[in-house]
Amino acid sequence: MKRKWILFLLAAAVLLSGTAMALAAQENELTPECAHHYQIVSFDRDGNIVLKCQKCRDVMSTTFVEHLNERDYEPLDVVPDGIVNAKDYGYILRHYHESTGEDTSDPDLYGGDEYDFGD
């Protein structure tokens, strides 16, 4: 009799654990993924950008050039014209560095006033 109870309890435990795992999997499927809302947290002179989702805290690194001429890329289309372009780059460069206290009148911030075209 004892043996039957032990087998019954083991079978019940296996059944309950399987049910619990199925419910957990179903819950994961029903949980909607984050509709990311990225904001710039870091931007350097070379166009390297770190973006952080304000909802789920996901962090990603990218460059401005990777998104150049991309349509409707909200994190970098800060001048609302529907496309990531030089206007956005200038705006981000100036305003991000102003927010960090960097002197935005420094010509070196924008690459300096001397250009080497390899002549």
Side-chain angles (χ1 to χ4, degrees), residues 44-114:
D44 69 15
R45 296 173 189 214
D46 296 324
N48 297 311
I49 301 169
V50 176
L51 301 168
K52 185 175 185 179
C53 178
Q54 298 303 302
K55 294 179 180 180
C56 71
R57 304 293 184 218
D58 181 46
V59 177
M60 70 178 232
S61 297
T62 187
T63 64
F64 190 86
V65 172
E66 287 179 44
H67 300 283
L68 192 60
N69 294 323
E70 188 171 326
R71 295 202 172 277
D72 301 320
Y73 189 69
E74 184 182 313
L76 301 182
D77 186 22
V78 294
V79 176
D81 58 0
I83 191 164
V84 177
N85 54 30
K87 291 184 276 186
D88 300 302
Y89 185 81
Y91 185 90
I92 294 169
L93 188 63
R94 176 168 290 278
H95 291 280
Y96 178 77
H97 288 286
E98 281 179 353
S99 72
T100 61
E102 194 166 349
D103 180 13
T104 57
S105 65
D106 178 8
D108 287 334
L109 179 62
Y110 305 100
D113 53 358
E114 294 181 26

